[in-house]
Amino acid sequence: MTHDSPIRTPLSLLGLGVMGTALARAWLAAGHPVTVWNRTPTRAEALAAEGATVADTAAEAVAANTLVVVCLLDDSSVGEVLAGTDLTGRDLVNLTTGTPAEARDRAAWAARRGARYLDGGIMAVPPMIGVPDSGAHVFYSGSRELLDRHGPTLAVAAGTTYVGEDPGFAALHDVALLSAMYGMFAGITHAFALVRHEAVDPVAFAPLLADWLVAMTPSVHDTAARLRSGDHTKEVVSTLAMQVAGTPTFLRTAEQQGVGTELLRPFFELMRRRLDGGGGAEGLTGLVDLLAR
């Protein structure tokens, strides 16, 4: 080993689905010794050819290195896979998608087993992993000391964003952002459905829709500022009363176009409830408090 070849932290990775395999390849490409394990051993064959050490059991993989990363199907899988392993002294990084409550419970479970714990929420699809400037990042929560120690290794796969000592915060941020994404997808789906059977070229329509969505994104910052201040009415340009008055037009248009209204109605009903509760002078920010009852 020369001064030009720094020692790369060895790690063990449990779970070789599409995301797990992408993570393993990123670390292997960067020169990290990686021990891998998967319930279906054949999934490890390609990685073995690329330099990974294949463990016969999860316990063997855990014993191989201090840094242990798990990327499994769900939280139950984590418990099942690690049930027969000795986690004493291990740095456990859990990149399995789960809920905030599951992450908090898993952190306490890991502590009882003698492990240090860091939870992660991956904000990327597998092709983005290990690709510089792809925008891939992982929310981490739990032990800050653990992230400081292994940050350079974890950052090989994706950027790292620490969101707090509460182990549930990574999952919370992950699901919150993805929920907003699906809300956007719902709007995009409805918009394209409206023009689907008209003489409107979807490719020509797309930039109009994309530009409009970009123009609306500053509302995120306005919402945040109003939630912090608690003032939902100051300098509101389009009041809730005005917007509710306009919702029948959206519903009639959808019906006339032969488009279902199931993507719009729940939000419109929430707006109506806030209006009926006296929020007519507000913008839409008050819906957050209504929804978070």
Side-chain angles (χ1 to χ4, degrees), residues 280-291:
E282 302 173 349
L284 294 176
T285 312
L287 300 185
V288 175
D289 290 338
L290 182 60
L291 196 60

Side-chain angles (χ1 to χ4, degrees), residues 11 24 27 33 54 57 70 93 107 111 134 156 168 172 207 248 254 281:
L11 69 146
W27 283 313
V54 180
T57 66
V70 293
V93 179
S134 68
V156 165
L172 181 62

Side-chain angles (χ1 to χ4, degrees), residues 70 86 94 148:
V70 293
D86 182 3
N94 185 10
D148 290 342

Side-chain angles (χ1 to χ4, degrees), residues 222-236 285:
D222 178 71
T223 297
R226 292 184 184 279
L227 290 173
R228 174 180 284 180
S229 70
D231 188 341
H232 300 322
T233 60
K234 184 178 180 181
E235 298 178 355
V236 170
T285 312

